[in-house]
Amino acid sequence: MADHNDLDHVTGKTTTGHEWDGIKELNTPLPRWWVITFYLTIVWAVGYWIVYPAWPMLWSNTTGLLHYSSRADVAVELANLEMIRGDRMVALGAAPLADIEKDPALLALARARGKTVFGDNCAPCHGSGAAGAKGYPNLNDDDWLWGGTLDQIMQTIQFGARSGHTKAHESAMLAFGKEGVLKKEQIVTVANYVRSLSGLSTSQGYDAAAGAKIFADNCVACHGDGGKGNQELGAPNLTDKIWLYGSDEATLIETITNGRGGVMPAWVGRLDPPTIKALAVYVHSLGGGK
Amino acid sequence: MNTTAPPIEVEIDDYGPLYAARKKVYPQSVSGTFRRIKWGLMAFCLGVYYLLPFVRWHRGLGAPDQAVLVDLPNSRFYFFFIELWPQEVYYFTGLLIVAAITLFLMNSIGGRIWCGYLCPQTVWTDLFYAVERMVEGDRRERMKKDAAKGTLKLQRFAEITLKHSIWLMIAWWTGGAWVLYFNDAPTLVKQLVTFQAPMLAYIWIGILTTTTYLLAGFMREQVCVYMCPWPRIQAALTDEWALNVTYKYDRGETRTSLKKANELRALGKAVGDCVDCYQCVAVCPTGIDIRDGAQLDCIQCGLCIDACDTVMKKIGRETRLIGYDNDINIQRRQAGKPPIYRIVRPRTIVYSALIATVGAIMLYALLTRSLLDVNVLHDRNPVAVKLSDGSIRNAYTVRLLNKRGFDRVIAIDIDGPANATVHVVGVDSVTPDRPMIVLGRDQTTELRLLVTAPSENNPEKSIPVRFRVTDIGLGEVASATDNFVTP
């Protein structure tokens, strides 16, 4: 602490008495307005404590005279957003599905809305970029189990597949092995035949004619002549390069033995109609839509 | 510098005050060269500030016709023939660099020219002082009126009211001119008058009215001394050749009264030209004594030069006892050598060259900038998609920019994977494999672009792809490159 205040002879000013390494601090008082401003900020801070939530208590905090809360603020903002969005969503709901992609503004809205909703609801199964995974279709490609037109996509989103909804896509692949329809060696033969349909290699010494016979007897009903598939039944095209569960022999044997029947939930009732529409347009615009 | 100042008698206060009250400055009116320069520059600066929003500039139908406009809702900045987009704000960086170096150059030539003549704080404070002088009278009268406390007569009350009213009107007009830069000026004036203008405009006018009124009316020189960082920076930029407002103590000392000086001169004794009349202090807007040498509080406005010159003329001595000069010349004169002035020297040459270089780069960038632009972003999730026939498709987000004031038809071509086809989502092309879209004037458009290529022709993992957009009418081309990836 300062013992005594000196007079600095160079400037003619008093010092504060503080000295560091021979350097003394001149007593240069602050301007009055500065000090007043400083006190005003303190007064302001006290007012702030009283008016706004400020003091943390053990389990909560003081709510302040204004009872301000950021949560309420967000709720208001969200309500405002809904209001702003309202008109445009109504326009989206009213537009015929086929015309949305032709209107750049509506397309942009549908894609933006669709992308968000997709991320919230569809991404867990189909991936955030709709690239799918084993058993979950890639929505970017041009292969569709239940059809890839706008209407078909919307239909699938609305009611799902094997979802339990009365309008849902139904039918499942029979478990040919488990049900005892086909024997083990027949399954291996027909699996090789299926691989040959899309130009994949087959194991040595497999009986192509027998495979064709088994296929014709058991598979054609759903997968069609030549294995081209049937979108009415969600039966995949077996001649193309896209395989939902995998195209290797072991996977095919597994598929034929135990059958397949993936479930897609129905979204009608969970998402409002304009949102489902936006979602359909978004999925269609990913690039695989017919 | 004057090192022979006598020691000052000081009362020692053991504790010292916690704060110091401001000593009010009463600058006296003055006339002369520098006062005229200051009037001229004030008129010019204020004229530009208040009138610029009303200058029109024709840009074609549908585009704003205000010469200088900051169009925040549409993210455009207009400056006469220049129209800047948000991604081009680096021009402002260039402008700031040029402004900074110009300040350096001004400093190396003539000291704090900015502080003394051009700074808004100086200009508006000067204007407010002029109003004050007009209403309340000059230095002496104002001091007398302020000293006569407790006897507030009606006339004095009227004076004070009038002064503050005029101040507020100027301040209000200052705020008003500010908002005009952000909207069509004539329209906004109409809206403001009829109370139809957006709330934000009124708020900004309020903010600028308050700050102008407070800073120019009350804070005045304190802004320069306590609040502004420039005096510190500019003081560091000045050098021994820079001309600064200088009291030539070699000529002025020893100071003494006019009468005594004449007596001593008659006896053949050496006396200085300074007659200690304190006119230089009386006219100073920051209330300092320039005879104490260069100091932080000095904004170098040159008014003390005018005051001193007036006195010197009256007593028949040579003018410019205070003038723009530097220490080198004071020392040279003391040594009996003629003064030298060097404006062209390495420092000023470097600054000028830097200004010219940055200016030239900016101009070149501005003149050669593209008015059609394309940006491409590859989809990351998924990076590539295998289609049922085995071909590969990549998706891209393409952003097209049309900086021209008319709609254009744009064709999109790609150079990349062999046998690739390109499709724009939502666009049915008349010509297959060459999508065309209409790009609105002064707009950007985002497209989803799908590029599909047979995999057997494209064995590489990653193939460079170039997106070319062509204005069908003008032939203007822009392109961007990315990669085509196979899974």
Side-chain angles (χ1 to χ4, degrees):
Chain A
M1 254 325 273
D3 297 331
H4 59 284
N5 300 358
D6 292 334
L7 179 68
D8 176 60
H9 287 289
V10 180
T11 57
K13 286 182 179 170
T14 53
T15 72
T16 58
H18 300 162
E19 187 179 332
W20 294 273
D21 298 337
I23 298 168
K24 290 177 184 173
E25 184 184 24
L26 284 181
N27 182 16
T28 311
L30 291 162
R32 181 161 50 188
W33 61 262
W34 199 101
V35 179
I36 291 170
T37 310
F38 175 62
Y39 289 142
L40 281 178
T41 61
I42 295 173
V43 172
W44 176 269
V46 172
Y48 206 93
W49 288 338
I50 297 166
V51 173
Y52 280 97
W55 289 100
M57 310 301 267
L58 275 181
W59 288 277
S60 179
N61 57 286
T62 57
T63 51
L65 289 180
L66 288 185
H67 298 290
Y68 166 86
S69 103
S70 45
R71 185 177 283 274
D73 249 20
V74 170
V76 170
E77 294 279 320
L78 283 176
N80 284 342
L81 186 69
E82 284 303 324
M83 222 166 66
I84 296 164
R85 209 183 256 163
D87 292 350
R88 298 203 292 160
M89 288 306 282
V90 166
L92 187 68
L97 195 53
D99 292 351
I100 294 174
E101 286 194 1
K102 287 177 191 146
D103 181 335
L106 276 182
L107 177 61
L109 171 66
R111 278 185 47 77
R113 176 75 176 151
K115 189 179 170 126
T116 321
V117 177
F118 189 92
D120 289 345
N121 300 284
C122 318
C125 292
H126 290 284
S128 58
K134 186 176 173 178
Y136 301 99
N138 182 347
L139 306 178
N140 290 279
D141 65 27
D142 61 343
D143 193 29
W144 296 89
L145 291 173
W146 305 97
T149 66
L150 266 171
D151 289 318
Q152 286 169 324
I153 292 171
M154 182 140 150
Q155 173 87 7
T156 307
I157 296 170
Q158 279 178 311
F159 308 116
R162 306 173 192 102
S163 63
H165 193 282
T166 48
K167 289 185 183 173
H169 294 306
E170 286 302 340
S171 93
M173 174 151 167
L174 191 65
F176 288 91
K178 234 161 64 179
E179 303 286 334
V181 181
L182 294 175
K183 295 197 187 69
K184 184 85 199 288
E185 55 270 33
Q186 286 178 302
I187 290 173
V188 174
T189 308
V190 81
N192 272 286
Y193 176 74
V194 167
R195 276 174 64 79
S196 77
L197 286 177
S198 54
L200 295 168
S201 64
T202 48
S203 41
Q204 270 187 334
Y206 114 91
D207 186 345
K213 177 84 174 47
I214 300 165
F215 191 84
D217 290 347
N218 298 281
C219 314
V220 167
C222 292
H223 289 284
D225 278 335
K228 295 273 187 206
N230 183 351
Q231 291 180 347
E232 290 292 308
L233 301 168
N237 183 347
L238 303 177
T239 62
D240 65 17
K241 301 279 198 289
I242 292 167
W243 297 85
L244 186 55
Y245 292 92
S247 62
D248 58 295
E249 197 183 316
T251 304
L252 283 173
I253 290 168
E254 149 96 28
T255 301
I256 298 162
T257 308
N258 298 319
R260 298 287 186 188
V263 172
M264 154 110 176
W267 293 95
V268 70
R270 286 201 250 181
L271 300 174
D272 60 80
T275 300
I276 290 181
K277 222 168 180 179
L279 208 44
V281 171
Y282 170 72
V283 170
H284 189 257
S285 75
L286 287 172
K290 303 280 187 207
Chain B
M1 213 160 289
N2 188 356
T3 50
T4 55
I8 306 154
E9 296 284 323
V10 191
E11 263 179 63
I12 299 182
D13 176 354
D14 274 351
Y15 298 98
L18 273 174
Y19 57 80
R22 174 197 176 208
K23 285 195 192 74
K24 197 174 172 187
V25 182
Y26 296 88
Q28 197 180 326
S29 67
V30 61
S31 57
T33 318
F34 293 97
R35 184 62 264 185
R36 277 197 295 279
I37 294 174
K38 262 176 88 75
W39 286 134
L41 285 174
M42 185 206 277
F44 175 73
C45 293
L46 293 178
V48 168
Y49 176 73
Y50 288 123
L51 300 178
L52 197 53
F54 294 98
V55 178
R56 302 287 101 184
W57 192 268
H58 185 68
R59 291 194 182 84
L61 217 65
D65 64 350
Q66 187 156 321
V68 179
L69 178 67
V70 184
D71 189 357
L72 289 177
N74 298 312
S75 309
R76 296 285 185 275
F77 173 71
Y78 300 95
F79 186 84
F80 295 96
F81 65 98
I82 301 169
E83 178 190 330
L84 294 185
W85 285 41
Q87 62 269 43
E88 293 169 325
V89 283
Y90 54 80
Y91 285 111
F92 288 102
T93 313
L95 214 59
L96 287 176
I97 294 170
V98 168
I101 305 171
T102 307
L103 272 179
F104 299 172
L105 181 65
M106 289 197 314
N107 255 275
S108 62
I109 293 172
R112 286 162 61 178
I113 295 172
W114 171 259
C115 289
Y117 302 93
L118 297 168
C119 173
Q121 176 64 21
T122 291
V123 169
W124 263 276
T125 302
D126 214 19
L127 180 65
F128 273 44
Y129 268 133
V131 170
E132 192 171 68
R133 215 171 274 133
M134 192 184 78
V135 176
E136 296 187 343
D138 212 346
R139 176 177 159 91
R140 258 166 216 286
E141 290 167 69
R142 294 208 306 275
M143 289 171 90
K144 218 191 285 172
K145 281 171 183 169
D146 275 1
K149 271 179 192 156
T151 52
L152 193 64
K153 296 209 177 77
L154 193 64
Q155 196 204 339
R156 177 77 184 129
F157 182 74
E159 265 181 17
I160 293 172
T161 314
L162 179 63
K163 177 179 84 174
H164 287 281
S165 309
I166 300 176
W167 277 1
L168 277 169
M169 268 164 61
I170 297 171
W172 168 78
W173 199 22
T174 306
W178 171 260
V179 299
L180 296 184
Y181 284 91
F182 296 86
N183 212 324
D184 183 61
T187 316
L188 189 57
V189 168
K190 238 175 272 164
Q191 289 175 335
L192 285 169
V193 174
T194 54
F195 298 102
Q196 305 285 311
M199 201 43 173
L200 204 60
Y202 292 108
I203 290 171
W204 273 103
I205 292 176
I207 291 172
L208 268 101
T209 305
T210 313
T211 49
T212 310
Y213 179 61
L214 289 179
L215 293 183
F218 300 92
M219 307 295 284
R220 298 177 164 180
E221 81 286 347
Q222 299 180 90
V223 174
C224 312
V225 180
Y226 298 110
M227 293 165 77
C228 180
W230 263 120
R232 281 90 183 154
I233 298 164
Q234 297 216 358
L237 284 165
T238 196
D239 66 1
E240 72 273 27
W241 288 104
L243 295 174
N244 283 307
V245 175
T246 309
Y247 165 65
K248 297 168 188 166
Y249 57 84
D250 56 311
R251 211 189 108 190
E253 303 295 319
T254 325
R255 319 169 188 171
T256 178
S257 74
L258 179 60
K259 202 172 147 200
K260 228 182 206 166
N262 285 339
E263 284 166 7
L264 287 169
R265 270 200 201 95
L267 295 171
K269 291 201 173 137
V271 275
D273 279 348
C274 177
V275 293
D276 232 355
C277 64
Y278 279 93
Q279 279 306 294
C280 53
V281 180
V283 300
C284 180
T286 61
I288 56 154
D289 190 342
I290 188 64
R291 295 172 302 173
D292 292 343
Q295 51 207 287
L296 183 125
D297 312 28
C298 175
I299 58 168
Q300 296 187 12
C301 59
L303 292 184
C304 51
I305 305 180
D306 284 343
C308 190
D309 280 359
T310 314
V311 173
M312 288 297 120
K313 273 181 211 155
K314 241 182 239 164
I315 63 169
R317 314 290 304 178
E318 200 190 327
T319 56
R320 295 294 146 88
L321 172 59
I322 303 172
Y324 272 93
D325 212 329
N326 57 34
D327 275 352
I328 290 179
N329 285 329
I330 289 181
Q331 263 135 44
R332 284 179 67 88
R333 270 193 297 266
Q334 277 179 321
K337 292 184 222 161
I340 45 171
Y341 296 96
R342 262 192 214 152
I343 287 178
V344 181
R345 48 185 207 274
R347 182 188 282 258
T348 55
I349 293 170
V350 168
Y351 288 153
S352 307
L354 280 173
I355 293 170
T357 312
V358 177
I361 292 171
M362 282 173 67
L363 195 67
Y364 176 79
L366 192 68
L367 294 177
T368 56
R369 71 184 178 143
S370 162
L371 296 174
L372 175 68
D373 212 349
V374 55
N375 293 308
V376 175
L377 193 67
H378 195 292
D379 262 21
R380 291 181 185 181
N381 183 15
V383 284
V385 178
K386 195 176 186 185
L387 298 186
S388 52
D389 64 354
S391 56
I392 310 299
R393 184 164 60 205
N394 281 201
Y396 304 85
T397 302
V398 174
R399 186 168 272 283
L400 296 171
L401 294 84
N402 176 14
K403 294 182 191 170
R404 289 198 190 271
F406 43 83
D407 294 357
R408 309 158 88 171
V409 179
I410 305 290
I412 301 167
D413 302 287
I414 60 159
D415 311 322
N419 302 65
T421 57
V422 54
H423 171 71
V424 180
V425 172
V427 174
D428 294 323
S429 274
V430 185
T431 44
D433 300 343
R434 199 182 192 210
M436 290 200 197
I437 64 144
V438 176
L439 195 50
R441 64 166 175 235
D442 201 36
Q443 261 182 23
T444 72
T445 304
E446 200 179 83
L447 303 172
R448 181 171 166 79
L449 209 115
L450 307 171
V451 176
T452 312
S455 60
E456 60 271 20
N457 295 341
N458 297 285
E460 261 116 286
K461 203 94 185 97
S462 174
I463 303 158
V465 55
R466 184 182 177 79
F467 296 84
R468 255 182 315 116
V469 293
T470 314
D471 180 329
I472 295 297
L474 297 175
E476 210 173 320
V477 178
S479 67
T481 52
D482 208 304
N483 284 302
F484 183 88
V485 186
T486 55

